[in-house]
Amino acid sequence: DAELPGREFIEFVDRHAGTESEIGVVQNLVQQATIVLDLYLATDAARLAGEQAAAMARRELSAASPGSDRQLIWARAFAAMANSEQDCVLLEALLDGSQTIDGLRMDADLRWTFLYALARVGRADRTVLETALERDATAAGRRKLAGCLAARPTAEAKQEAWTLAVESGDQ
């Protein structure tokens, strides 16, 4: 409600979300932080706040009880906030299994969440994404693939997504 500047909100979440006992409140704070990063900060402020938010999500993901809802919330938050080379390397390592976090189950939904994060920063190309569909050849997998393909930061990816969504004639 524009009562608190975006950077201050991210700092608030960084200071307090890790100690919040109500999982629904944590989830809401993380969602709101992601919205602030995506919509309410100028580019330079968003970059700085995004670095802080990604570091917070990495820290809380590592601290969460293995297999807990809190761990899953922070894993998703980390994917949503990941931007740096270090963040992407960790996401890639978690996806390929070269690194694990105790209790974090890499199901199809989390795999797509991580792939989307990598696609939006240009780190997952069509080949990587289509290979993921082979692991999850479901209707949901096809929808996730379409989202990941559209998230890639190229004009060609955007045109392809537009054509698929609007001009293909499929309804």
Side-chain angles (χ1 to χ4, degrees):
D1 292 338
E3 305 246 347
L4 187 65
R7 282 295 310 256
E8 288 181 37
F9 180 73
I10 297 299
E11 290 170 6
F12 172 85
V13 174
D14 189 12
R15 279 193 312 272
H16 300 291
T19 59
E20 174 56 50
S21 61
E22 292 295 323
I23 196 70
V25 173
V26 174
Q27 187 169 22
N28 190 303
L29 286 170
V30 166
Q31 289 171 339
Q32 292 299 319
T34 303
I35 290 168
V36 166
L37 292 170
D38 289 346
L39 302 176
Y40 293 105
L41 293 172
T43 304
D44 289 340
R47 184 182 49 75
L48 293 172
E51 290 170 4
Q52 180 179 2
M56 167 192 63
R58 265 194 320 273
R59 179 188 72 232
E60 297 302 329
L61 173 57
S62 296
S65 297
S68 66
D69 289 343
R70 185 176 295 269
Q71 185 183 50
L72 184 57
I73 286 169
W74 286 112
R76 292 177 186 284
F78 175 64
M81 297 170 180
N83 255 333
S84 72
E85 176 71 16
Q86 175 188 7
D87 296 340
C88 292
V89 167
L90 177 55
L91 288 172
E92 290 166 342
L94 290 168
L95 277 168
D96 70 19
S98 61
Q99 186 167 343
T100 59
I101 296 175
D102 189 32
L104 188 63
R105 196 174 132 255
M106 190 60 64
D107 63 8
D109 193 48
L110 190 59
R111 177 173 297 284
W112 283 114
T113 298
F114 285 9
L115 285 167
Y116 182 88
L118 292 168
R120 75 177 161 75
V121 296
R123 298 271 304 227
D125 63 17
R126 176 178 277 286
T127 303
V128 167
L129 297 170
E130 288 178 345
T131 300
L133 183 61
E134 293 171 13
R135 291 181 74 144
D136 181 23
T138 64
R142 287 189 296 281
R143 285 190 303 275
K144 298 287 187 172
L145 171 65
C148 288
L149 290 171
R152 295 172 299 155
T154 66
E156 295 80 17
K158 305 307 179 201
Q159 181 59 49
E160 180 183 335
W162 177 258
T163 300
L164 182 64
V166 175
E167 298 172 4
S168 69
D170 292 338
Q171 298 194 5

